[in-house]
Structures are given as structure tokens and as C-alpha cells.
Amino acid sequence: MLASLNEEQERLYDELLGRIQETDISSPYFDSPYWYYYRTEKGKAYPIYCRKYETLENPEEIFLDLNRLAEGKEYIDVASWSISDDHRYVAYSIDETGREVYSIHIQDLQTGVLIHEIPNTTGSLCWSGEHWLVYSVADETLRPHQIYRYHFEAGSTLLYQEEDDQFRVYFYRSASLKYIFLLSSSKLTTEAHYVDAYGTSEEPTLFSKRHPKMKYWPDHEEDRFLIRSNDCDDEEGNHIDARKNNQISSALISQTDRSHWTEEIAHRHDVQLTGIELFSSFWVLFERENGLEYIRIIDKKRSDDYRIPMPEEAFTTWGSINPDFEARAFRFGYSSLVSPESIYVFELDTQDLILQKEYPVLGYNRNQYISERLMIPSHDGTRVPISLVYRKDIDTTQPQPLFLTAYGAYGTTIDPYFSSVRLSLLDRGVVYVLAHPRGGGALGRQWYEDGKFLKKKNTFLDFIAVSEHLIEKGYTKSDRLIISGGSAGGLLIGAVLNMRPELYFAAIADVPFVDVVTTMLDDSIPLTSDEWEEWGDPRERVFFDYMLSYSPYDNIQRQDYPHLLVISGLNDPRVQYWEPTKWVARLRDRKTDENDLILKTHMGAGHMGQSGRYGYLKDIAFEYTFILEKWRQAGFLALF
């Protein structure tokens, strides 16, 4: 179907690649006594992880070269890697199919010898002392349900097992490094146990028993624990949603049950507390307000409380690697629609914000582009935020080709981030729009809850309202509006195409979750049982009927549909390949138009597409070639 575009696709791939500084080095961080960093080399698809002893002038030691691991393999993904406390060993997890089943490898960095391999894990790992490694294992539905601790001499010992199939297990090490927390979590409820990171006892201690619809996440500080939670009960002891945006509490190490928690930072209805990082002399809080995530510093040493000032009005931030618990500085990542990914260091004692690294984008001039943030009224009057970016020199008085994308599920927020590949659309006059519909987390926990369960249709209606607004205000027209979404965002695309196909010219659905009812009725499929608290349990009639009313597969009509490109992965454990396949088959049977309907299945990959930076660019080049060709056929763009 697309063979005639192979040459154009190759040229576009070269264009995407041409913006990347292929040989580059990351911003190094110091984890005494080594400086750690990764670098990339031209022609090599994967990063090379390195370190230098004490100073950056000393010789380089390569401790993990993913290119060597990838030799002779069609696909490779390293989920995580970690250096032991004594800096002698590295542990890393590898998936070679895209099925997200990982083997953990432990290598002695002094001798170079691979000393052990642990097969069939989830890929998550962390060190517990110098010769102990914590990891998790999934059941037959790929639900993480067991946590083990492995010792070089004693082997693996089961720490914890979760029997409830709506809960998945996770683990993390405290900021102080003294404890390992074992977290059992459903979509609505969590329960934590903990063990001494340096101890030999295998019996975890319960932190506080699970309480329906209450989520909490503990960490350790000196002689107490700090807990981020949505803890709130009514007079009868039933959990209520009064503190759904989270608060911070503390508990003595000897009294961790929630009945002994003391409030440290109060809940706020207009600010969601999304995370906290602890250091010996300060706390870092991540706070989401009005759709943006801010970084707040509580400086215990100086008795100060403030937010780190950001360079722009709309941005994306995230915590970077900060291994020194005693530090007086905080490293974090930063990006925006027009600012490439950067690493900043904020010095607490001087309050200086220092740009440590901006990853280069070759040929890019940010002054040629402009970004906006708008609030669009939806069907019920709720105002939905959207982020736009386009070139300053396009004629905004005339409708332009427009690319609209969204996710809108799980409370996940797709913040306004920079993308070098996006420039291949912007430089051809395309307006790029990222919508933040309900079901995501842009405006806090309530925003998420207003787009799930029996309110899921708000996600689709918000997206349609955004589409209509962009047309009404002259940004674009239906005959040049292309939409895209992946996974749960693919569900969004499938639903709106059934509801309002005439609004759109073309669409891309990446690994789309489109057969909602059938999948949610089959608990042998990965993810199904713990997804009931996201979509509802269709074994209950009210949820069955509601899901059936929007499920993309079940609501295909005998009507015209836009051009459609559907991507799936044969090894995808999250959206099984047969979902998009049967959706396409029914669309072909029922649609009444002559527009393109193309299914591409990655035969050697999973949910995330091809692996490596070059594989990613090839996937993008394929999709962009499709949509640019559609605009060219309609007379709105010259592809090259």
C-alpha cells in the first residue's frame, strides 16, 4: 500500500536523523567515588554507560554497552540498571522480544565476569546492601505478584507475594537507603511493607494495612517515616475523597499504622501533590497546579519554603538523578514545546538556577516558533486545556493543516514537551496541538476521576469539543485535521471516529485498546483484572452496558470514516495484537468510503514499537510519511 512512498520515507528519516547530534554525552552526576554518565556514538542505536573515578579527567570505564548486548538481535530493551552500594557490581534487565519479560544479569565490574542471570522477571530491580538484589516476578497474566531478594551465595528468597489479582507489586529503596519498601497497589488502593536494606531478616513488616480506596507511599527520614497519601475517612471509618490531591504525614518508626500519622503538609483542593523526594536538609515536592507541575523546596536548614522559578510560563519538569542524600543542590529535567530537553541544577544556599546541559537539536532556532496554552469549553461547560505550537511565519488568518493528539487515561498527564521529530511537521506549516482531556491528570485527581468508570465518555467529548473549537476559530478545517493516539489514546481515537468521523481527514491509532468489552471480560489476558478499577468490571451490568456504548470495535457504523493507519505489535503484552486486527477487519467490512485503511503489525516488537533510537525514528518516519502524503494528496502540503 505504501511502497510508492519508500523513497520519501527514507528522505524523511534522514531529515529526522539530521537534527540529532549522534555523538553526544549526558550531564554527569557524582555518586562517590565515581562520576556516572552515558554517551552515544554515531551509527550506534543504544547508549553506552560509563563512569570515571573521582574526577572527570580520569580514564573512562564502560560498565554497560547496550550496543554490544544488541548484536545479532532484532529487538532489545533494558528496563533498568543499577550499581551496587560498593560500586563493584552492575545489575541490568533485558527484554529481547518486546513481551516485557526480562532477564536480570549481574556482572562483576572488577573482573568483567557475568556472575548470575535471573530469568523471567518484570525487569524492576534495586540493590539492598552490597550483595543483595531485590526484583519482582509476574504471574501467567504478566501481573507482578512476587518480590524476591537475591544473595550472591544464598540465592533467591521470596519476600512478599500478592494474592489479590487486582493488585500488582512494586518496590523501591528509601532516600536514606536504609529500607526497602514493598508496595502492593491497585488502581485505587495501596499497602506497604518494609524490610531493612542491610538486614538479613526476610520477614517484611507491615507499614499500615490496606484500606479501600486509600493510597499511600512511605519514605524514610531520620527517626521517622514520611507518607504521601490521600488518607481521609468519614465518621464511620469509610474512606472518602476529601483529600484526593494528597497530603504529607509523618509517623515514628515504632508506630507506622495510619492511626498514628501526624499531618505535616495539608491537602489542597487546587494543588495536587504528585511526588516528594527527601534529602537530609530539605524536601522536594512536585505540585501540579493549573495543569503545570512545579518544584517546591522546603529547606529545613534555612527554614524556607518556595518554588523553583522556571524559565517559561508553560513547561515540563521531572526529577533527575540525585544520589547524594546530603546534597544542598537538586538536579531536575526541563522541557517545553519550544525548549529542548535540559538538565538544571538548583543550588539551595545561593538559589542559583544553573543550566547544566541542553541536549542539542541541530539546525533548530527556537525563535522561529511560538507556543500557546488555551482553555476550551467542552460539552458540559468544563474548560479543557490544550497546548499548541507552530511556526511564527505561518498565516494564522487562514486554516492550516493541524495535527491533534491526546491520551486521556489513568490520570497520566502528557505535559507540553519538546520533540525534535515534531519539527518536520511544524516546518511544513502544520499546527501541532496536544489536548489534555479528562481521564488524564492535567488538572489534578478530580480531572482523572471525571474521565473514568461511568464518566469515560467525557474524554471523548472533550476531544471532540477541542476539535470543533479549532475548526470554529479558524486554526484548521475538517479536510486538513489529522488526529493521533496510542494505547488508551488509541481507544480515544477509535471512539471519536465512531462518534464524529466527519470532523477528521485522517487518523493514526498506535497499538489501540479498541475491543474494550471482550478484553475486560477475559481475566486471562495481561492487565485485565487490575484494569477493572480503571474502566469498570463488565461482569456488573451497569459497567457492561456503559463500556458497550463506547467500545470502538462494538460501535463501528455503516458510515464514511477518515483515512486510517493502525499500528500493532505481535509481542505486545498490553494491547494484544488481535485487538487492532479484528477492529480493522470489522471496519473494512462496514465502512462505506474509499479512504485508506492500513494495518501495520510489528512482527518483532511489542507495545513500544521498534527498539533503539534509529528504530524509533523509522517508526516516526513511517507514520509522518503517511500523514504528509495525505495532506499532499489533498493539496495542502508539499511533502519535500
Coordinates of all heavy atoms in Angstrom, one line a residue, residues 316-362:
T316 N 7.5 21.5 31.2 CA 7.5 20.1 31.8 C 8.7 20.0 32.7 O 9.8 20.3 32.3 CB 7.5 19.1 30.7 OG1 6.4 19.2 29.8 CG2 7.5 17.7 31.3
T317 N 8.6 19.4 33.9 CA 9.7 19.2 34.8 C 9.7 17.7 35.3 O 8.6 17.1 35.3 CB 9.7 20.1 36.0 OG1 8.5 19.9 36.7 CG2 9.8 21.6 35.5
W318 N 10.8 17.2 35.7 CA 10.9 15.9 36.3 C 12.2 15.8 37.1 O 13.1 16.5 36.8 CB 10.8 14.8 35.2 CG 12.0 14.8 34.2 CD1 13.2 14.2 34.3 CD2 12.0 15.6 33.0 NE1 14.0 14.5 33.2 CE2 13.3 15.3 32.4 CE3 11.2 16.5 32.4 CZ2 13.7 15.9 31.2 CZ3 11.6 17.1 31.2 CH2 12.8 16.8 30.6
G319 N 12.1 15.0 38.1 CA 13.3 14.8 38.9 C 14.4 14.0 38.1 O 14.1 13.0 37.5
S320 N 15.6 14.5 38.2 CA 16.7 13.8 37.6 C 17.4 12.9 38.6 O 16.8 12.6 39.7 CB 17.7 14.8 37.0 OG 18.8 14.1 36.3
I321 N 18.6 12.5 38.4 CA 19.3 11.6 39.3 C 20.0 12.4 40.4 O 20.8 13.3 40.1 CB 20.3 10.7 38.6 CG1 19.6 9.9 37.5 CG2 21.1 9.8 39.5 CD1 20.6 9.1 36.6
N322 N 19.7 12.1 41.6 CA 20.2 12.9 42.8 C 20.7 11.8 43.8 O 19.9 11.6 44.8 CB 19.2 13.8 43.4 CG 18.9 15.0 42.4 OD1 19.6 16.0 42.4 ND2 17.8 14.8 41.6
P323 N 21.8 11.2 43.7 CA 22.2 10.1 44.6 C 22.7 10.5 45.9 O 22.8 9.7 46.9 CB 23.3 9.4 43.8 CG 23.9 10.5 43.0 CD 22.8 11.4 42.6
D324 N 23.1 11.8 46.1 CA 23.7 12.3 47.4 C 22.6 12.8 48.3 O 22.1 13.9 48.2 CB 24.7 13.4 47.1 CG 25.5 13.8 48.3 OD1 25.3 13.2 49.4 OD2 26.3 14.7 48.2
F325 N 22.3 12.0 49.4 CA 21.3 12.3 50.3 C 21.7 13.6 51.1 O 20.8 14.3 51.6 CB 21.1 11.1 51.3 CG 20.0 11.3 52.3 CD1 18.7 11.4 51.8 CD2 20.2 11.3 53.6 CE1 17.6 11.5 52.7 CE2 19.2 11.4 54.5 CZ 17.9 11.5 54.0
E326 N 23.0 13.9 51.2 CA 23.5 15.0 52.0 C 23.6 16.3 51.1 O 24.1 17.3 51.6 CB 24.8 14.7 52.6 CG 24.8 13.5 53.5 CD 23.9 13.7 54.7 OE1 23.7 14.8 55.2 OE2 23.3 12.6 55.1
A327 N 23.2 16.2 49.9 CA 23.5 17.4 48.9 C 22.7 18.6 49.4 O 21.7 18.5 50.1 CB 23.1 16.9 47.5
R328 N 23.2 19.7 48.9 CA 22.5 21.0 49.0 C 22.2 21.6 47.6 O 22.1 22.8 47.4 CB 23.3 22.0 49.8 CG 23.5 21.7 51.3 CD 22.2 21.9 52.0 NE 21.8 23.3 52.0 CZ 20.6 23.7 52.4 NH1 19.6 22.9 52.7 NH2 20.3 25.0 52.3
A329 N 21.9 20.7 46.7 CA 21.5 21.1 45.3 C 20.6 20.0 44.8 O 20.6 18.9 45.3 CB 22.8 21.2 44.4
F330 N 19.7 20.4 43.8 CA 18.8 19.5 43.3 C 18.8 19.5 41.8 O 18.7 20.6 41.1 CB 17.4 19.8 43.7 CG 16.3 18.9 43.2 CD1 16.3 17.6 43.6 CD2 15.4 19.3 42.3 CE1 15.3 16.7 43.1 CE2 14.4 18.5 41.8 CZ 14.4 17.1 42.2
R331 N 19.1 18.4 41.1 CA 19.1 18.2 39.7 C 17.7 17.8 39.2 O 17.1 16.9 39.7 CB 20.1 17.2 39.2 CG 21.5 17.5 39.6 CD 22.4 16.3 39.3 NE 22.8 16.2 37.9 CZ 22.5 15.3 37.0 NH1 21.7 14.3 37.4 NH2 22.9 15.3 35.8
F332 N 17.3 18.5 38.1 CA 16.0 18.2 37.5 C 16.0 18.4 36.0 O 16.8 19.1 35.5 CB 14.8 19.0 38.2 CG 14.9 20.4 37.9 CD1 14.2 21.0 36.9 CD2 15.6 21.3 38.8 CE1 14.2 22.4 36.7 CE2 15.6 22.7 38.6 CZ 14.9 23.2 37.5
G333 N 15.1 17.7 35.4 CA 14.9 17.8 33.9 C 13.9 18.9 33.6 O 12.9 19.2 34.4
Y334 N 14.0 19.5 32.4 CA 13.2 20.6 32.0 C 13.0 20.5 30.5 O 13.9 20.2 29.7 CB 13.8 21.9 32.4 CG 12.9 23.1 32.0 CD1 12.0 23.6 32.8 CD2 13.1 23.7 30.7 CE1 11.2 24.7 32.4 CE2 12.4 24.8 30.3 CZ 11.4 25.3 31.1 OH 10.6 26.4 30.7
S335 N 11.8 20.9 30.0 CA 11.5 20.9 28.6 C 10.2 21.8 28.4 O 9.4 22.0 29.4 CB 11.3 19.5 28.0 OG 10.9 19.5 26.7
S336 N 10.0 22.2 27.2 CA 8.7 22.8 26.8 C 8.5 22.6 25.4 O 9.3 21.9 24.7 CB 8.8 24.4 27.1 OG 9.5 25.0 26.1
L337 N 7.4 23.1 24.8 CA 7.1 22.9 23.4 C 8.2 23.5 22.5 O 8.3 23.0 21.4 CB 5.7 23.4 23.1 CG 4.5 22.7 23.6 CD1 3.2 23.4 23.3 CD2 4.5 21.3 23.0
V338 N 8.9 24.5 23.0 CA 9.9 25.1 22.2 C 11.3 25.0 22.8 O 12.3 25.4 22.1 CB 9.6 26.6 21.9 CG1 8.3 26.8 21.2 CG2 9.5 27.4 23.3
S339 N 11.5 24.5 24.0 CA 12.8 24.3 24.6 C 13.2 22.9 24.7 O 12.5 22.1 25.3 CB 12.7 24.9 26.0 OG 12.5 26.3 26.0
P340 N 14.3 22.5 24.1 CA 14.8 21.1 24.1 C 15.0 20.7 25.5 O 15.2 21.4 26.4 CB 16.1 21.2 23.3 CG 16.0 22.4 22.4 CD 15.2 23.4 23.2
E341 N 15.1 19.3 25.6 CA 15.3 18.7 26.9 C 16.6 19.2 27.6 O 17.6 19.3 26.9 CB 15.4 17.2 26.8 CG 15.6 16.5 28.1 CD 15.7 15.0 27.9 OE1 15.0 14.5 27.0 OE2 16.3 14.3 28.7
S342 N 16.5 19.6 28.8 CA 17.7 20.2 29.5 C 17.8 19.6 30.9 O 16.8 19.1 31.5 CB 17.5 21.7 29.6 OG 17.4 22.3 28.4
I343 N 19.0 19.7 31.5 CA 19.2 19.3 32.9 C 19.6 20.6 33.6 O 20.6 21.3 33.2 CB 20.3 18.2 33.1 CG1 19.8 17.0 32.4 CG2 20.6 18.0 34.6 CD1 18.6 16.3 33.0
Y344 N 18.9 20.9 34.7 CA 19.2 22.1 35.5 C 19.7 21.6 36.9 O 19.3 20.6 37.4 CB 18.0 23.0 35.7 CG 17.7 23.9 34.5 CD1 16.9 23.5 33.5 CD2 18.3 25.2 34.5 CE1 16.7 24.4 32.4 CE2 18.1 26.1 33.4 CZ 17.2 25.6 32.4 OH 17.0 26.5 31.3
V345 N 20.5 22.5 37.5 CA 20.9 22.3 38.9 C 20.4 23.5 39.7 O 20.8 24.6 39.4 CB 22.4 22.0 39.1 CG1 22.7 21.9 40.6 CG2 22.8 20.7 38.4
F346 N 19.7 23.3 40.8 CA 19.3 24.4 41.6 C 20.1 24.3 42.9 O 20.0 23.3 43.7 CB 17.8 24.3 42.0 CG 17.3 25.5 42.8 CD1 17.1 26.7 42.2 CD2 17.0 25.3 44.1 CE1 16.7 27.8 43.0 CE2 16.6 26.4 44.9 CZ 16.4 27.6 44.4
E347 N 20.9 25.4 43.2 CA 21.7 25.5 44.4 C 20.9 26.1 45.5 O 20.5 27.3 45.4 CB 22.9 26.3 44.1 CG 23.9 25.7 43.0 CD 24.7 24.5 43.5 OE1 24.6 24.2 44.8 OE2 25.4 23.9 42.7
L348 N 20.6 25.4 46.6 CA 19.8 25.9 47.6 C 20.4 27.0 48.4 O 19.6 28.0 48.7 CB 19.4 24.7 48.6 CG 18.2 23.9 48.2 CD1 18.5 23.0 47.0 CD2 17.7 23.1 49.4
D349 N 21.7 27.0 48.7 CA 22.3 28.0 49.5 C 22.4 29.4 48.8 O 22.3 30.5 49.4 CB 23.6 27.6 50.0 CG 23.5 26.4 51.0 OD1 22.5 26.3 51.7 OD2 24.4 25.6 51.0
T350 N 22.5 29.4 47.5 CA 22.6 30.6 46.7 C 21.3 30.9 45.9 O 21.1 32.0 45.4 CB 23.8 30.6 45.7 OG1 23.5 29.5 44.8 CG2 25.1 30.4 46.5
Q351 N 20.5 29.9 45.8 CA 19.2 29.9 45.0 C 19.5 30.2 43.5 O 18.7 30.9 42.8 CB 18.2 30.9 45.6 CG 17.7 30.5 47.0 CD 16.4 31.1 47.4 OE1 15.8 31.9 46.6 NE2 16.0 30.8 48.6
D352 N 20.7 29.8 43.1 CA 21.0 29.9 41.7 C 20.5 28.7 40.9 O 20.6 27.6 41.3 CB 22.6 29.9 41.5 CG 23.2 31.2 42.0 OD1 22.5 32.3 42.0 OD2 24.4 31.2 42.4
L353 N 19.9 29.0 39.7 CA 19.4 28.0 38.8 C 20.4 27.9 37.6 O 20.6 28.8 36.8 CB 18.0 28.4 38.3 CG 17.3 27.4 37.3 CD1 17.1 26.0 38.0 CD2 16.0 27.9 36.8
I354 N 21.1 26.8 37.6 CA 22.2 26.6 36.6 C 21.8 25.6 35.6 O 21.4 24.5 35.9 CB 23.5 26.1 37.4 CG1 23.8 27.1 38.5 CG2 24.6 25.9 36.4 CD1 24.8 26.6 39.5
L355 N 21.9 26.0 34.3 CA 21.7 25.1 33.2 C 23.0 24.2 33.0 O 24.0 24.7 32.7 CB 21.5 25.9 31.9 CG 21.3 25.0 30.6 CD1 20.2 24.1 30.7 CD2 21.2 25.9 29.4
Q356 N 22.8 23.0 33.3 CA 24.0 22.1 33.2 C 24.1 21.4 31.8 O 25.2 21.2 31.4 CB 23.8 20.9 34.3 CG 25.1 20.1 34.5 CD 25.0 19.2 35.7 OE1 24.2 18.3 35.7 NE2 25.7 19.5 36.8
K357 N 23.0 21.2 31.2 CA 23.1 20.5 29.9 C 21.8 20.8 29.1 O 20.7 20.5 29.6 CB 23.3 19.0 30.0 CG 23.2 18.2 28.7 CD 24.4 18.2 27.9 CE 24.3 17.3 26.7 NZ 25.5 17.3 25.9
E358 N 21.9 21.3 27.9 CA 20.7 21.3 27.0 C 21.1 20.4 25.8 O 22.1 20.6 25.1 CB 20.4 22.7 26.5 CG 19.2 22.7 25.5 CD 18.8 24.1 25.0 OE1 18.1 24.8 25.8 OE2 19.2 24.5 23.9
Y359 N 20.3 19.4 25.6 CA 20.6 18.4 24.5 C 20.4 19.1 23.2 O 19.4 19.6 22.9 CB 19.8 17.2 24.7 CG 20.2 16.4 25.9 CD1 19.7 16.6 27.2 CD2 21.2 15.4 25.8 CE1 20.1 15.9 28.3 CE2 21.7 14.7 26.9 CZ 21.1 14.9 28.1 OH 21.6 14.3 29.2
P360 N 21.5 19.1 22.3 CA 21.5 19.8 21.1 C 20.5 19.3 20.1 O 20.3 18.1 20.0 CB 22.9 19.7 20.6 CG 23.4 18.5 21.2 CD 22.8 18.3 22.5
V361 N 19.8 20.2 19.3 CA 19.0 19.9 18.2 C 19.6 20.6 17.0 O 19.5 21.9 17.0 CB 17.5 20.3 18.5 CG1 16.7 20.0 17.2 CG2 17.0 19.6 19.7
L362 N 20.2 19.9 16.1 CA 21.0 20.6 15.0 C 20.0 21.3 14.1 O 19.0 20.9 13.7 CB 21.7 19.5 14.3 CG 22.7 18.6 15.1 CD1 23.4 17.6 14.2 CD2 23.7 19.5 15.9

